[in-house]
Amino acid sequence: MIRSAEEKMQFLFALRSKGVTDSRVLSAMESIDRGDFIRGGVFVQRAYEDMPLPIACGQTISQPSVVGLMSQALRVGPRDKVLEVGTGSGYQAAILSKLARRVYTVERHKRLVKEASELFHKLDLSNIIPILADGSHGLPDQAPFDRIIVTAAAEDPPGTLLAQLKIGGIMVVPVGQSDAVQSLIRVTRTEDGYEYDDLRSVRFVPLVEGLGRDT
Ligand code: SAH
């Protein structure tokens, strides 16, 4: 799918007007085509609209402005090792791959991992490592991380994930009941503990324990 210059301008304008102002995040979002992450069907035509859309396994690709705001809140630096829990379509991981040194992305549905892996390969995003696993346990083998982003809603910031943050590390996670509006929380790990910022309200699918039934 090829974006027209006008579609691209409108896409970036919508992001800015919703508060995505970080120039590194905007240029990452300019360079990754969201249309690639929406497989077929009628929805591909809506790829550049600021709305979540359905993907396989009953999951969703997040709204572009939310992807932008979460990427911005994460304050990713070019040397950072990032963990994403909830690969879904792979769109958020692709944006992060332009901002970080390396992105580990974990997903519980085998089909989504396979499709996202193929896409990362096709788009030459070689610093993304997709992994089939229950991300609620994080990724102990690769911990600690500079940044952790959870793109599914947890009832509390998961303790196992907090423990896998470096000192000075940042985690962004939607917190709350899955069928209600949730709060997007930024947690910063300090020498003495954790600091919490409540950023905005969001709506995500739930963080579910165990692997998906398609595995
Ligand atoms: N970041 C995605 C959107 C995520 S939707 C994107 O850019 O498209 C949330 C995803 O989290 C779903 O694909 C869901 O299967 C996954 N998920 C939920 N609980 C999980 C868990 N415990 N471990 C790994 N992935 C999980």
Side-chain angles (χ1 to χ4, degrees):
M1 173 123 184
I2 297 180
R3 279 187 290 185
S4 68
E6 194 186 328
E7 258 176 339
K8 209 166 180 174
M9 254 174 54
Q10 275 171 2
F11 181 75
L12 291 170
F13 181 80
L15 290 174
R16 280 201 199 88
S17 69
K18 300 232 166 122
V20 184
T21 51
D22 183 300
S23 58
R24 289 186 73 230
V25 172
L26 285 167
S27 59
M29 294 187 78
E30 189 175 355
S31 69
I32 298 288
D33 187 340
R34 189 170 182 251
D36 287 335
F37 295 81
I38 296 158
R39 298 208 158 207
V42 291
F43 294 110
V44 76
Q45 291 154 22
R46 318 201 76 167
Y48 314 118
E49 292 177 31
D50 194 26
M51 54 165 68
L53 292 170
I55 56 170
C57 305
Q59 305 303 317
T60 50
I61 175 170
S62 312
Q63 198 175 337
S65 59
V66 171
V67 171
L69 290 168
M70 286 176 85
S71 307
Q72 185 168 291
L74 206 57
R75 299 178 177 156
V76 185
R79 301 205 47 77
D80 286 349
K81 179 167 80 169
V82 180
L83 170 66
E84 179 192 33
V85 175
T87 311
S89 68
Y91 180 62
Q92 172 76 74
I95 303 298
L96 293 170
S97 78
K98 298 286 177 186
L99 303 169
R101 179 167 55 90
R102 185 167 294 162
V103 179
Y104 292 88
T105 181
V106 180
E107 167 59 55
R108 61 189 287 277
H109 285 290
K110 191 176 185 177
R111 174 174 170 191
L112 294 175
V113 176
K114 182 171 179 282
E115 291 181 355
S117 304
E118 287 167 2
L119 210 45
F120 299 148
H121 188 71
K122 183 180 140 208
L123 300 175
D124 218 7
L125 302 173
S126 55
N127 63 340
I128 309 179
I129 296 114
I131 296 164
L132 175 68
D134 175 358
S136 51
H137 304 301
L139 211 51
D141 290 354
Q142 300 300 334
F145 296 94
D146 299 288
R147 301 290 184 261
I148 300 178
I149 180 170
V150 186
T151 63
E155 291 193 11
D156 292 298
T160 322
L161 294 182
L162 288 174
Q164 291 179 19
L165 265 185
K166 285 187 191 169
I167 306 285
I170 297 176
M171 175 160 103
V172 172
V173 53
V175 171
Q177 302 290 332
S178 60
D179 53 355
V181 171
Q182 306 129 9
S183 294
L184 186 63
I185 307 287
R186 174 170 53 207
V187 188
T188 308
R189 183 167 195 176
T190 65
E191 297 274 357
D192 324 309
Y194 298 92
E195 281 171 9
Y196 295 82
D197 288 316
D198 192 337
L199 302 176
R200 52 169 279 154
S201 48
V202 284
R203 200 151 198 174
F204 276 84
V205 295
L207 187 71
V208 179
E209 290 207 14
L211 291 181
R213 264 175 294 161
D214 64 332
T215 45

